[in-house]
Amino acid sequence: MFTAQETLNQIAAEVSNCENCELHKTRNKSVPGIGPADAEIMLIGEGPGFNENEQGLPFVGQAGKFLGELLAQAGLKREDVWICNVVKCRSPDNRDPLPDELAACDLYLERQIRALNPSIIITLGRFSMNKFMPGAKISAVHGQMRQVGSRFVIAMFHPAAALHQPQLKSTILADFAKLPQLLAVARQELGKFCGAPAVAAQREEDPQQMKLF
Ligand code: URA
Ligand code: SF4
């Protein structure tokens, strides 16, 4: 039996020399993700950019700086949350990840989610949103929280998009300002079915029952 930390370390080791998709050919460092193994909240972005590819760490460039400010505004410290991306290697010229790259890397993301078992997942941008809310439009669901299985997922705009589109900046600021309130709802709801895994499992199988907050 491995601890969450051991499993996350194991996944990071595999990611560091993974060659399961084309992106391994052009990356410098892969970026497995970082955070405390007991984090309640997991943030999932898109993929490493220039600086992340150099350092092997997620969200260390401009978008990362802004993300730190958004979290601080919600009373959260970056060091207290787990941060990763849907693809762990930089794509050439920061193009969108391709479906086969997303599929290949999703195996790692799934294992990370299982190991960390976060109560709350915050998706940053449409690629991570799509994983939990297939078919949803980010312009419609941003800032909203949904129950997905036994967790809560909050969809946010990508901080980099907000940096490039000034009109999005006030929206993403307002969405993150709602976070303390959403976290309180999630914690209360999760407390209700704590110790009742049958209920949680049943909800997982029935996405129709997704509740919106
Ligand atoms: N953008 C992302 O989606 N992820 C990072 O790690 C950095 C920028
Ligand atoms: Fe492997 Fe993911 Fe990197 Fe592709 S993006 S090489 S699947 S770690």
Side-chain angles (χ1 to χ4, degrees):
M1 194 55 189
F2 295 101
T3 63
Q5 186 66 68
E6 285 165 343
T7 306
L8 290 165
N9 291 348
Q10 167 65 28
I11 299 165
E14 289 174 40
V15 164
S16 72
N17 51 31
C18 174
E19 298 187 353
N20 290 352
C21 84
E22 288 288 298
L23 294 180
H24 84 273
K25 292 184 181 163
T26 45
R27 73 167 179 237
N28 179 11
K29 286 186 182 163
S30 52
V31 181
I34 195 165
D38 60 352
E40 177 189 25
I41 301 171
M42 182 184 214
L43 266 68
I44 310 177
E46 185 175 319
F50 177 85
N51 295 288
E52 292 77 19
N53 183 51
E54 295 302 305
Q55 297 182 37
L57 296 167
F59 284 98
V60 287
Q62 279 298 316
K65 186 165 173 273
F66 186 39
L67 179 62
E69 292 165 18
L70 291 165
L71 288 171
Q73 187 196 234
L76 296 168
K77 290 203 215 68
R78 236 196 107 113
E79 309 82 73
D80 293 338
V81 299
W82 218 85
I83 308 181
C84 67
N85 287 299
V86 283
V87 292
K88 315 299 192 201
C89 300
R90 186 187 187 213
S91 54
D93 302 324
N94 285 344
R95 63 155 170 75
D96 288 349
L98 300 172
D100 61 323
E101 295 161 354
L102 286 163
C105 220
D106 188 56
L107 301 179
Y108 296 119
L109 181 56
E110 276 297 324
R111 287 166 63 198
Q112 289 174 322
I113 295 170
R114 229 179 308 138
L116 191 71
N117 196 21
S119 304
I120 296 148
I121 290 176
I122 299 174
T123 62
L124 304 169
R126 62 203 161 90
F127 288 98
S128 51
M129 174 200 69
N130 253 327
K131 177 173 168 60
F132 303 97
M133 305 178 189
K137 287 228 179 313
I138 193 144
S139 53
V141 302
H142 69 89
Q144 290 180 5
M145 182 167 76
R146 291 187 188 184
Q147 192 179 329
V148 179
S150 52
R151 309 180 206 288
F152 285 87
V153 177
I154 305 171
M156 296 290 196
F157 280 115
H158 196 290
L163 284 179
H164 297 136
Q165 293 163 260
Q167 74 276 19
L168 274 189
K169 196 168 176 185
S170 55
T171 309
I172 198 174
L173 280 163
D175 286 346
F176 270 83
K178 285 196 300 190
L179 208 44
Q181 194 189 325
L182 291 174
L183 296 182
V185 173
R187 285 170 186 148
Q188 193 192 12
E189 290 288 316
L190 288 167
K192 277 187 207 157
F193 57 76
C194 226
V199 176
Q202 187 192 332
R203 289 184 195 207
E204 194 132 28
E205 282 158 19
D206 191 355
Q208 306 309 33
Q209 283 188 2
M210 267 195 323
K211 246 161 93 188
L212 254 162
F213 296 87

